[in-house]
Amino acid sequence: MHLRGRLVHRITHDDVGRRVSLRITLPEGGFTDIVGVVESWAEGVLTLRRRDDSMVEVAEHDIAASRVVPPVPPRRRDRRP
């Protein structure tokens, strides 16, 4: 028996400025995930800033699932002498 997880869209406009994970539907079928900070959300389009500082726009109707995720942890300092 194969159970599939349920896709839940949990973010709102109140999450602008927070780090989120989005699962979006691809035009050719299937899904891909994008993680980033929501910089803006206007007229059905979210703009996310990724970890590498690149920006990506996602149409709200392409979001299959979403959730707020913790901020990126600070880099650990190298403790070698």
Side-chain angles (χ1 to χ4, degrees), residues 48-61:
L48 275 70
R49 180 178 305 276
R50 296 169 138 180
R51 186 180 215 173
D52 66 1
D53 224 22
S54 65
M55 302 291 272
V56 62
E57 290 186 342
V58 177
E60 190 173 352
H61 62 78

Side-chain angles (χ1 to χ4, degrees), residues 18-21 33-39 47-56 69-76:
R18 298 182 78 185
R19 186 169 177 252
V20 300
S21 174
D33 295 333
I34 299 173
V35 177
V37 175
V38 181
E39 294 290 323
T47 303
L48 275 70
R49 180 178 305 276
R50 296 169 138 180
R51 186 180 215 173
D52 66 1
D53 224 22
S54 65
M55 302 291 272
V56 62
V69 294
V72 176
R75 291 186 122 180
R76 293 175 58 174

Side-chain angles (χ1 to χ4, degrees), residues 7 9 11 13 22-27 30-32 41-48 57-66:
L7 299 175
H9 186 24
I11 68 169
H13 289 271
L22 304 180
R23 176 154 291 169
I24 60 170
T25 305
L26 297 172
F31 302 99
T32 191
W41 187 342
E43 299 178 16
V45 177
L46 289 81
T47 303
L48 275 70
E57 290 186 342
V58 177
E60 190 173 352
H61 62 78
D62 289 336
I63 300 172
S66 65

